[in-house]
Amino acid sequence: MHVPWWSRRDYNALLILLMVLPLLWPAVIPLEDLPGHMGRFRIQAGVSDAPTLAETFSIHWMPVGNLGIDLIVLALQPVLGIELATKLAIILLIITLLVGLLIVIKEAHGEIPATAAFALPLAYAYPFQFGFVNFWLASGLALLIFGLVLRYQRLERSRAWRLLILFGSLAIYFAHIFGWVFFALMVGGNSLYRHFKHYGLTRTAIRDIILEGLLLCLPLVFIALWRSTDSGGETSSYFDIFHKWGWIESSLRDRWVQLDGQSALGCVALIILGLVGALRMNPRLLTILAVLTAFYLFIPFAFHGLIYADMRIAPLLLAIGIAALAPRAIMGKRVAAMLAIAALVFVCVRTAAMTYSYVLASDDQENYLLALDHIPKGSRVVALVAPDCPRGWSGSRITSLASMAIVRRDAFVNAQFEMPGAQLVAVSPSIPREFAYGTSSLVRLPDCDRPEPKLAERIDQIPYDAFDHVWLLGVGPNDRPSVPQLRLVWSNNQSAVYAIASK
């Protein structure tokens, strides 16, 4: 039987390799929150050789659902170091998600259809650009394991697919709890499709759906242990339809407003073509799409302390919608080939745009990080960061960049995430609470209408006795302070380092 070129393994393997290209150049992949993660990785790797880190940070081990990239880097860093280990982990993340998505598509359709490649650029969706790397790894694992579940269901290997759901749920949970939710939604949608297709709404179908749902429950044991020591966090902003559409439109948001927005709208248009019958939609994946859509409309912006909850689901919704598509048989091979070529062009354009964007962002980051050569190893640093005003389409790539002082200089810096119960690292009481975490580093410049406090106010509030240096990021020469406690050590057009004069 002749296999069309867009369905061949070697072609799709080349697509995956092509889509890794944006990650190869940057020394630090320029995702907004990634430097904050890297600072945590450095602390978790052990601080016995870094007295300042040992004095200012503590680690509290518990079964949190937020450890995916952390565990990979922890395993790789003794050989590769934190930065290279992180880069390799992010590359593995993207490959996992792409392979998982293609397996789901192949198992649902029986082959990879000509439209499949349209879904691949969503691997670089906005949650990834934001640096939600543990969630994005968990989503990739969810797709990969779900694809294998579909395969073993097709082969009628009941024990194998049940064990995959049971133990796969646990692996996905430890990567990130919300990835487990995504996996549960896919498994639930698939179960609805399978049982209603064969039996309709009968007692047997309902019983089997419930039994399959119980296979997903193993992580609940660890959630009970984890959340018993946690307040649970905020839940807010239900049914904000305007923002729901905004997250869909922003699914491929990076740097290029028109290209990114139109690319996302193109994905929506493709799904609409399937819904109106112009393209064929796989009924299994269509059922899962319906379940995900209902969840997306219900889930609030903040859910038990997890912010951007609905934003994280939006690109996965598009990915499953496109995965459900295939050309109709009556279209013929020529139309299918044209669709496959259009999908290839889409992948190439998105990859080229992403590669160039990352080169620009990486060069910008390295310009800021020149400051680290002027911060002594083991220093205690107050970072004050002025994000872009107003926040642009590409967001700010510097909000957690100061954490690279932890990675490269073994220094304390107030740039770690404040997420009680959601991560293992906490700042010790030796650091004044008001300058302990990343939220204390954000400031605004005089003419900027943002909610953060003014730079001058934060400069006045610094407990100078507790720190050695002040590092300004995103503050130009005209906005920098002139106070007797600070002595300028180094500066460029974007960044400045001050020694505290009394030290």
Side-chain angles (χ1 to χ4, degrees):
M1 179 180 176
H2 175 69
V3 178
W5 56 269
W6 56 82
S7 297
R8 289 173 50 178
R9 287 185 179 181
D10 53 357
Y11 171 72
N12 285 283
L14 286 173
L15 284 182
I16 291 172
L17 292 176
L18 173 66
M19 294 203 64
V20 169
L21 286 179
L23 306 176
L24 299 182
W25 171 258
V28 178
I29 297 171
L31 311 178
E32 186 164 343
D33 280 355
L34 185 59
H37 288 271
M38 294 173 69
R40 185 173 75 236
F41 301 160
R42 169 64 187 94
I43 298 161
Q44 290 172 170
V47 295
S48 59
D49 60 337
T52 298
L53 298 184
E55 293 167 3
T56 55
F57 292 105
S58 58
I59 302 175
H60 305 275
W61 296 100
M62 53 187 160
V64 301
N66 186 23
L67 294 175
I69 298 295
D70 296 56
L71 296 179
I72 296 174
V73 174
L74 194 62
L76 296 177
Q77 65 82 26
V79 176
L80 301 179
I82 296 296
E83 294 190 47
L84 186 56
T86 302
K87 184 170 183 174
L88 181 57
I90 299 300
I91 291 172
L92 290 173
L93 180 166
I94 291 295
I95 292 173
T96 298
L97 194 145
L98 291 170
V99 170
L101 185 56
L102 287 171
I103 291 176
V104 168
I105 292 171
K106 184 178 186 300
E107 290 302 320
H109 291 276
E111 64 176 5
I112 296 178
T115 51
F118 281 114
L120 300 186
L122 287 158
Y124 286 91
Y126 193 33
F128 177 73
Q129 304 295 346
F130 220 112
F132 297 157
V133 290
N134 284 340
F135 166 71
W136 212 233
L137 173 64
S139 299
L141 287 173
L143 286 165
L144 179 62
I145 294 170
F146 181 65
L148 295 175
V149 167
L150 293 182
R151 176 168 298 178
Y152 286 122
Q153 286 180 343
R154 173 174 58 82
L155 296 173
E156 297 184 352
R157 295 176 59 179
S158 175
R159 183 178 181 182
W161 66 258
R162 284 185 166 86
L163 287 173
L164 269 173
I165 294 175
L166 181 66
F167 294 108
S169 295
L170 198 59
I172 296 164
Y173 160 78
F174 276 112
H176 195 279
I177 187 172
F178 216 52
W180 168 67
V181 172
F182 173 51
F183 182 63
L185 293 168
M186 290 193 292
V187 169
N190 179 56
S191 183
L192 288 172
Y193 167 76
R194 289 172 58 244
H195 294 296
F196 285 1
K197 174 186 176 183
H198 293 295
Y199 308 116
L201 187 59
T202 64
R203 287 185 178 181
T204 301
I206 294 172
R207 181 202 64 194
D208 289 346
I209 290 169
I210 292 172
L211 289 175
E212 287 184 25
L214 291 175
L215 295 172
L216 295 160
C217 292
L218 191 55
L220 293 176
V221 176
F222 295 93
I223 292 172
L225 293 172
W226 168 23
R227 289 301 187 184
S228 66
T229 60
D230 178 32
S231 62
E234 176 190 4
T235 296
S236 63
S237 301
Y238 279 97
F239 305 120
D240 190 336
I241 299 301
F242 177 77
H243 279 96
K244 298 287 183 186
W245 171 248
W247 295 137
I248 294 290
E249 194 176 19
S250 301
S251 290
L252 286 165
R253 179 173 171 176
D254 172 44
R255 178 184 298 267
W256 321 108
V257 179
Q258 294 298 322
L259 176 62
D260 299 343
Q262 290 173 8
S263 296
L265 291 178
C267 292
V268 173
L270 281 171
I271 296 171
I272 292 173
L273 288 175
L275 293 174
V276 300
L279 293 169
R280 177 169 58 87
M281 292 202 85
N282 179 271
R284 183 191 303 269
L285 295 182
L286 180 59
T287 305
I288 294 171
L289 176 64
V291 171
L292 283 171
T293 301
F295 179 76
Y296 177 66
L297 293 174
F298 170 77
I299 193 73
F301 168 78
F303 186 68
H304 287 283
L306 180 78
I307 61 171
Y308 295 102
D310 49 357
M311 179 269 269
R312 298 169 192 246
I313 294 295
L316 298 172
L317 195 68
L318 294 184
I320 294 297
I322 295 173
L325 299 173
R328 291 193 168 276
I330 59 171
M331 291 179 170
K333 292 183 179 178
R334 178 172 295 182
V335 173
M338 291 174 63
L339 284 169
I341 291 170
L344 174 60
V345 170
F346 184 59
V347 169
C348 290
V349 169
R350 291 300 310 171
T351 302
M354 196 66 58
T355 301
Y356 184 44
S357 173
Y358 279 13
V359 168
L360 294 176
S362 177
D363 289 347
D364 189 51
Q365 280 190 345
E366 291 303 319
N367 196 29
Y368 282 104
L369 294 178
L370 292 172
L372 294 179
D373 293 335
H374 305 273
I375 294 176
K377 194 168 184 177
S379 297
R380 296 190 179 202
V381 181
V382 171
L384 296 176
V385 183
D388 296 339
C389 185
R391 181 183 175 93
W393 178 261
S394 63
S396 177
R397 312 269 178 162
I398 64 170
T399 52
S400 68
L401 189 60
S403 277
M404 293 304 296
I406 301 173
V407 178
R408 295 184 179 177
R409 305 304 291 163
D410 289 344
F412 171 84
V413 65
N414 59 321
Q416 280 293 286
F417 307 120
E418 186 174 15
M419 299 171 63
Q423 62 174 346
L424 307 180
V425 170
V427 178
S428 69
S430 64
I431 297 296
R433 186 71 175 79
E434 65 273 19
F435 279 88
Y437 290 97
T439 50
S440 69
S441 69
L442 299 180
V443 297
R444 62 183 171 94
L445 300 180
D447 297 327
C448 180
D449 184 19
R450 288 181 62 109
E452 292 85 8
K454 292 181 179 179
L455 172 63
E457 294 174 358
R458 293 303 279 164
I459 290 286
D460 290 341
Q461 294 166 358
I462 293 173
Y464 289 106
D465 290 344
F467 297 98
D468 306 308
H469 290 77
V470 174
W471 182 11
L472 303 183
L473 296 90
V475 181
N478 294 333
D479 293 308
R480 289 170 189 163
S482 178
V483 295
Q485 296 95 329
L486 300 180
R487 174 176 55 84
L488 182 65
V489 174
W490 171 89
S491 68
N492 64 10
N493 62 325
Q494 295 174 302
S495 186
V497 176
Y498 296 82
I500 294 175
S502 60
K503 297 296 184 77

